[in-house]
Amino acid sequence: MLDQMHVRNVLSQHYDLSPDVKLAESMKDIYDRMDRVVTPPDWVSFAPYVKAINALKKERNAVILGHNYMTPEIFHGVSDFVGDSLQLAMKATDVDADVIVQCGVHFMAETSKILSPEKTVLMPDMAAGCSLAESITADGVEEMRAKYPGAPVVSYVNTTAEVKAASDICCTSSNALQIVNAMESDTVIMTPDQYLAQNIANESHKTVVYWPGSCIVHEQYTAKDLRDFREWNPRTRLIAHPECPPDVVAEADFSGSTSGILKYVTEEKPEKAMLITECSMASNIADELPEVEFVGPCNMCPYMKKITLEKVLYVLHTMDNQVEVDAAVAEKARLSVQRMIDLSRELGI
Ligand code: 13P
Ligand code: SF4
């Protein structure tokens, strides 16, 4: 784990990171993308980091891949490409750079490394994990195979490289239904998200059996929360991520991956929207959609929130926190991820 004091000491020797009003004003074009959700005093503090990171990126020939759950100053301030898990995985295959800084969680960085082994992949905080990825090991996959002989294993990308290597194909929430439906067998094993699996089973003609993992962010929402909210504010469109339990998804007006949520809100432009997902999702799209009022509670992912501008600058400066994947594991895991990418491209997802 990174020692905060050490990080600060190192950075203070090389950069002037004190809040700077003039600098913040001169970077207004960047601030305009987030001024609905980031206060002016916060921007004055963020601007020196954003400037330093963007300059260092050029020096290192680095790109930053930012997940939709990053905080707005990372998402809008320093990311070169943003998107959901599938979009970031696809980007990792064709991005022209020596270094990838993964602003997201560890399994995403591993996926980038698996797909681009020749690149240096940096993780701003190695402790940015995921409750789903932690819920299963490769032995768990073998347990499922023994229970359901012959059934293919479709593993969510929210898994370690070892689990991907033990699986037949990966999926994300953008393509899970199509991937499951494309399997030849009538029974399909999905790991590790029980709720995503149940939501897919509700839409698929396949028998879906699953591992009992869950996302600590999305499992907190209940169907009653949604009913209560709808009663209190009837004109609000409720939009849920498919990592939510099935009764929550059933109460929602729409369910989709983070990019699916963005597409839906952009096309529908509801007067009010409540995103039943991680907190930063609404913040990151608020400025692009001034006509939509984002309301209601939101839950934070403690893993995603470990990524800060300070840590991004530190790893780019020191080149510490390089993600490595054992070559034999990576080779097998690449097959599962590449099969997913190829099938997604073929299906036009
Ligand atoms: P998306 O693939 O919808 O971005 O969700 C991934 C995820 O679970 C991030 O926590
Ligand atoms: Fe994992 Fe859930 Fe956090 Fe996504 S939101 S990284 S699935 S714990």
Side-chain angles (χ1 to χ4, degrees):
M1 222 205 306
L2 288 182
D3 174 348
Q4 192 80 14
M5 284 315 291
H6 172 72
V7 168
R8 274 193 194 153
N9 281 338
V10 171
L11 292 181
S12 66
Q13 286 165 32
H14 296 88
Y15 306 91
D16 179 4
L17 296 166
S18 41
D20 186 333
V21 175
K22 279 221 168 78
L23 178 68
E25 277 167 10
S26 73
M27 293 166 67
K28 191 179 167 314
D29 54 327
I30 301 179
Y31 182 50
D32 284 348
R33 297 178 215 151
M34 59 185 118
D35 65 357
R36 208 177 152 195
V37 288
V38 171
T39 65
D42 282 341
W43 176 241
V44 169
S45 304
F46 293 147
Y49 287 89
V50 170
K51 184 176 174 228
I53 291 167
N54 287 337
L56 196 50
K57 258 186 344 194
K58 286 200 188 113
E59 242 175 73
R60 300 259 192 259
N61 191 23
V63 296
I64 295 187
L65 303 185
H67 186 261
N68 290 330
Y69 293 162
M70 288 295 98
T71 48
E73 67 279 9
I74 292 177
F75 187 88
H76 293 293
V78 299
S79 299
D80 298 288
F81 301 99
V82 292
D84 69 6
S85 314
L86 179 63
Q87 291 167 326
L88 296 186
M90 285 174 152
K91 201 72 225 167
T93 63
D94 63 16
V95 80
D96 182 19
D98 296 321
V99 179
I100 292 176
V101 183
Q102 197 82 33
C103 285
V105 290
H106 192 266
F107 75 79
M108 296 177 178
E110 267 193 347
T111 306
S112 292
K113 185 67 186 175
I114 289 165
L115 292 169
S116 290
E118 72 295 348
K119 294 193 174 80
T120 301
V121 177
L122 301 176
M123 210 30 224
D125 190 328
M126 288 291 196
C130 167
S131 64
L132 282 168
E134 285 154 19
S135 74
I136 186 167
T137 62
D139 287 346
V141 173
E142 293 320 318
E143 217 179 279
M144 293 298 280
R145 283 197 197 278
K147 232 165 140 184
Y148 303 98
V153 177
V154 178
S155 282
Y156 202 25
V157 283
N158 300 38
T159 44
T160 60
E162 287 77 11
V163 168
K164 289 181 175 79
S167 306
D168 295 296
I169 188 167
C170 287
C171 74
T172 72
S173 49
S174 296
N175 58 21
L177 179 63
Q178 292 87 340
I179 302 258
V180 166
N181 283 347
M183 297 296 103
E184 273 179 16
S185 157
D186 285 337
T187 301
V188 176
I189 299 167
M190 283 189 83
T191 81
D193 189 346
Q194 59 182 309
Y195 297 129
L196 178 72
Q198 288 167 37
N199 287 321
I200 296 301
N202 285 342
E203 290 184 62
S204 171
H205 53 281
K206 303 280 183 186
T207 301
V208 179
V209 291
Y210 49 83
W211 186 258
S214 55
C215 162
I216 52 167
V217 174
H218 293 94
E219 71 178 357
Q220 289 179 46
Y221 293 104
T222 68
K224 183 176 179 312
D225 291 341
L226 270 70
R227 282 194 296 274
D228 288 351
F229 196 86
R230 212 188 272 289
E231 202 178 302
W232 176 63
N233 204 332
R235 290 200 327 277
T236 302
R237 210 75 68 87
L238 305 181
I239 303 156
H241 194 279
E243 288 171 12
C244 293
D247 57 342
V248 170
V249 168
E251 281 297 333
D253 297 296
F254 174 78
S255 172
S257 68
T258 54
S259 64
I261 291 174
L262 171 61
K263 186 167 180 285
Y264 177 85
V265 183
T266 306
E267 285 172 3
E268 294 281 315
K269 292 200 174 53
E271 192 188 324
K272 290 183 184 185
M274 177 177 159
L275 306 191
I276 322 293
T277 187
E278 212 274 346
C279 245
S280 291
M281 183 73 216
S283 312
N284 288 333
I285 61 178
D287 274 73
E288 265 173 58
L289 294 161
E291 54 280 84
V292 182
E293 186 188 343
F294 293 95
V295 294
C298 64
N299 294 332
M300 263 201 271
C301 172
Y303 304 106
M304 291 277 182
K305 268 37 222 194
K306 285 191 182 297
I307 310 302
T308 61
L309 285 174
E310 191 174 50
K311 293 178 193 171
V312 174
L313 180 58
Y314 178 80
V315 295
L316 257 178
H317 177 80
T318 58
M319 299 296 281
D320 278 359
N321 283 6
Q322 298 194 8
V323 175
E324 298 297 345
V325 182
D326 172 82
V329 173
E331 201 180 313
K332 282 192 188 161
R334 193 173 310 121
L335 289 176
S336 297
V337 180
Q338 198 59 52
R339 276 188 202 118
M340 166 188 81
I341 291 177
D342 293 345
L343 194 52
S344 299
R345 288 201 169 120
E346 207 179 298
L347 298 168
I349 301 165

